[in-house]
Amino acid sequence: MACLARRLAVCLSLAVLAVGCLPSRGEAMGLPQPPPDLNFTIAVEGVVWCKSCRYAGYVRAMDASPLPNAAALLRCRRADGRALSVWNATGADGYFLIQADWESAPFKSKDCKVYVPRSPASGCAAAVKPAARKGATLRFRRFVPLPDELQARYSSGNFTFAPEEPAKC
């Protein structure tokens, strides 16, 4: 019992220390600003799927296949006209990770959306979720410590496409 109490005390001390080290002035993506000697970046991850078509990597539970080579765009815009656009593509598993550098610091997560403008598979071209041109909002997931930087990792969730005609996969 004493060992458990000591571990709890150490954990609480570390949590208080970690929170106390983050200055409260300034925001990057709506999060506290890191110490000045640490680079702060953001990244957004998500997955692009084709519903109902049985391509490579088909997942029966989702009735969907991952779509490789889909272009994903992180677009941030502020009322003062400042804007940021960063592209990346999905891998074989349909997963994308868009990493933005220090230029993302002036934006809050509510200023940003992720878009997958079109499917790379012509047989699976109808946007289902989110709807075409709608974009997905960002949801904070975790901090990722990287060499010489701290990255705020967000999720945009799943992007789903389907065939225009269900019989044509």
Side-chain angles (χ1 to χ4, degrees), residues 25-161:
R25 294 186 345 242
E27 292 180 309
M29 298 300 290
L31 299 170
Q33 183 178 6
D37 59 338
L38 185 67
N39 292 320
F40 185 74
T41 60
I42 66 127
V44 182
E45 59 190 356
V47 182
V48 182
W49 298 94
C50 177
K51 190 81 172 155
S52 302
C53 293
R54 293 183 182 215
Y55 298 140
Y58 176 77
V59 177
R60 179 174 292 200
M62 292 184 64
D63 185 30
S65 302
L67 283 176
N69 303 315
L73 167 66
L74 169 66
R75 178 169 287 153
C76 302
R77 290 187 182 150
R78 284 184 16 174
D80 65 4
R82 196 176 251 180
L84 171 75
S85 295
V86 183
W87 290 88
N88 204 353
T90 60
D93 57 358
Y95 173 83
F96 64 83
L97 178 65
I98 302 171
Q99 299 189 63
D101 58 18
W102 59 270
E103 293 174 336
S104 63
F107 299 96
K108 295 183 179 180
S109 58
K110 67 178 182 167
D111 298 331
C112 302
K113 284 191 172 186
V114 175
Y115 300 87
V116 176
R118 69 189 65 81
S119 168
S122 59
C124 194
V128 176
K129 179 185 168 208
R133 299 188 191 116
K134 196 98 161 111
T137 57
L138 309 184
R139 293 179 305 279
F140 178 75
R141 291 294 180 222
R142 65 190 178 280
F143 284 111
V144 178
L146 300 171
D148 299 322
E149 71 182 65
L150 182 64
Q151 185 179 78
R153 185 74 54 95
Y154 291 82
S155 173
S156 61
N158 291 322
F159 288 81
T160 308
F161 290 87

